[in-house]
Amino acid sequence: MSRKSVTFSVRGKVQRVGFRFHTAHTALKLGLTGYARNQADGSVEVLACGEEEKINALAEWLRAGPQLARVNSLEQVETQWQELPDFKMY
């Protein structure tokens, strides 16, 4: 089992469309920990920690997002492993 932490930057129409809520719901269903938080520039930052295949599944979901969202770009950077208790929204 390969565990890692990845930070995503999601740009587009991703604030005020339930993006963080749906991201948290999806991440928890996948068994991931981390957070989703709005950024001042209108993007959403997502930290996902867990098994690589589950992070890949979340990345696929982030490319589309929830129904009202419009994702223009998704960047991801692997970061140092973080042991977090759950997935939060900020």
Side-chain angles (χ1 to χ4, degrees):
M1 168 174 45
S2 175
R3 294 188 319 172
K4 64 182 189 177
S5 295
V6 176
T7 301
F8 296 92
S9 179
V10 190
R11 298 184 187 288
K13 183 181 175 190
V14 293
Q15 290 190 10
R16 298 193 175 119
V17 293
F19 199 94
R20 292 175 302 142
F21 173 82
H22 290 286
T23 298
H25 178 76
T26 302
L28 288 168
K29 276 193 344 188
L30 290 167
L32 298 171
T33 62
Y35 61 78
R37 67 177 167 207
N38 287 339
Q39 299 296 295
D41 66 1
S43 66
V44 172
E45 178 184 69
V46 177
L47 172 68
C49 306
E51 294 177 27
E52 185 172 6
E53 72 178 42
K54 294 181 180 192
I55 290 176
N56 291 341
L58 180 65
E60 280 300 311
W61 183 87
L62 289 172
R63 283 183 179 85
Q67 185 175 356
L68 296 176
R70 186 184 72 248
V71 176
N72 294 336
S73 71
L74 177 68
E75 298 171 18
Q76 68 183 69
V77 177
E78 189 166 347
T79 59
Q80 183 175 345
W81 171 253
Q82 296 183 49
E83 190 75 42
L84 300 171
D86 54 17
F87 199 96
K88 297 184 182 275
M89 294 184 303
Y90 296 106

